Amino acid sequence: MTAFTLASWNINSVRLRAPLVADWVSQADPDVLCLQEIKCQNEQFPEEAFREMGFRHFHVRGQKGMHGVAIASKFPLEDLGDEDLCPRAEARHQRVMVEGIELHNFYIPAGGDEPDPAINPRFAHKLGFLDRIEAYFKARAAENPPLVLVGDFNIAPYEHDVWSHKQLLKVVSHTPVETEALERIRQAGDFADVARELIPMDEKVYSWWSYRARDWKKANRGRRLDHIWAAPAVRERALAGGRDAFRIWEDVRGWEKPSDHAPVVLRIGG
């Protein structure tokens, strides 16, 4: 198995931001790039632009006008088929085999503004999706499969994954019902949360900053919504490079016409 660089990025429209991706790829040189919120159908994915970036293999699960996930890779991808994880059957999940790893790319729903499933169908959908993910990985745990999960989970689980733990406890993405559901998923597969395995829990880590801030960098009211997790079978490979092998490219958030998410990158050992 070859060492490779894995990246995850909620791009918030891949057609609009393909030039931004190209600029970033020229610096970061990822081997496997997992994208979320591509906002296009399969046939609309700008494959030629990604071929010019050096990618040769693609797996796209698009949807008209919204959602959508895609993987662009320099290594061959084996399509492992879809799983029935999203209650609304939206294009929010895909899985492939690449370099001995079963890679899952997730775009978990944001959940709207009101953290009450009784009055907010979008939040109920999010919780239902999380329940299905937990059941799926719990059922597969005995296989000890070589799983890596990446994507925009739309949940910042820990105190220092948000700019203010106290002020965001009732804000969707950091409510206890969400963070506890995400922790159940992590425990179901005994996953290592790579960022928090490599970065101390008391250190602030963000991957998302709202468009609403006049000066996102000065305000720095971020959240860590984007994740890379590794199952026990690949934990050693995933953590082999130490902290230097993991990076959130925060400066990309300040580029022209950016996504509100920054790319998250991990060098996985051979």
Side-chain angles (χ1 to χ4, degrees):
M1 291 178 285
T2 307
F4 68 97
T5 301
L6 172 65
S8 177
W9 193 0
N10 179 320
I11 197 58
N12 190 15
S13 178
V14 68
R15 290 178 291 175
L16 176 64
R17 295 192 167 84
L20 182 78
V21 176
D23 288 344
W24 178 73
V25 165
S26 70
Q27 296 183 39
D29 193 27
D31 297 306
V32 181
L33 174 56
C34 297
L35 299 169
Q36 304 89 37
E37 202 173 357
I38 60 173
K39 292 184 176 178
C40 69
Q41 299 181 73
N42 290 14
E43 64 274 13
Q44 297 172 319
F45 185 83
E47 183 174 311
E48 187 55 39
F50 279 80
R51 288 189 178 276
E52 292 176 1
M53 299 177 209
F55 298 105
R56 294 291 178 266
H57 307 275
F58 303 91
H59 188 279
V60 182
R61 281 207 65 214
Q63 185 172 341
K64 184 177 180 180
M66 59 186 72
H67 317 317
V69 288
I71 300 173
S73 175
K74 297 175 183 176
F75 297 103
L77 301 174
E78 178 188 351
D79 183 357
L80 297 178
D82 296 336
E83 297 289 351
D84 185 25
L85 297 179
C86 180
R88 295 182 181 176
E90 296 171 343
R92 293 183 176 274
H93 171 250
Q94 61 187 153
R95 64 179 187 131
V96 300
M97 186 68 75
V98 57
E99 288 301 301
I101 284 174
E102 183 180 324
L103 178 62
H104 290 249
N105 184 22
F106 281 99
Y107 176 36
I108 293 173
D113 295 326
E114 180 59 54
D116 184 347
I119 62 174
N120 178 4
R122 294 172 65 187
F123 195 66
H125 176 224
K126 182 177 190 176
L127 297 182
F129 198 161
L130 295 170
D131 286 344
R132 289 194 184 194
I133 295 172
E134 179 191 353
Y136 173 74
F137 288 116
K138 184 177 292 184
R140 295 198 59 196
E143 303 171 29
N144 193 27
L147 301 172
V148 171
L149 279 53
V150 306
D152 176 6
F153 293 1
N154 263 312
I155 299 172
Y158 304 123
E159 178 177 353
H160 294 290
D161 292 338
V162 294
W163 64 272
S164 173
H165 172 63
K166 184 177 181 180
Q167 293 185 63
L168 269 66
L169 279 172
K170 296 182 179 180
V171 175
V172 172
S173 79
H174 192 60
T175 66
V177 67
E178 294 168 274
T179 60
E180 290 167 9
L182 191 64
E183 177 61 15
R184 287 196 300 271
I185 294 170
R186 195 195 65 75
Q187 292 184 11
D190 194 18
F191 294 109
D193 179 348
V194 170
R196 284 307 181 189
E197 291 287 335
L198 299 174
I199 300 173
M201 277 288 190
D202 60 356
E203 185 174 329
K204 293 285 190 182
V205 183
Y206 309 142
S207 66
W208 174 91
W209 296 260
S210 174
Y211 285 132
R212 297 176 183 176
R214 291 185 179 180
D215 186 334
W216 71 274
K217 192 170 186 178
K218 183 177 180 180
N220 200 28
R221 293 190 169 190
R223 306 177 201 178
R224 186 173 70 98
L225 304 180
D226 304 270
H227 300 263
I228 299 177
W229 287 7
V234 290
R235 178 187 175 98
E236 186 175 347
R237 284 184 72 189
L239 302 178
R243 181 163 179 169
D244 289 344
F246 178 83
R247 179 176 177 183
I248 299 177
W249 286 67
E250 297 182 9
D251 59 314
V252 177
R253 176 62 179 82
W255 290 7
E256 187 176 356
K257 296 181 179 178
S259 169
D260 45 0
H261 295 254
V264 179
V265 178
L266 177 67
R267 182 70 175 170
I268 297 180

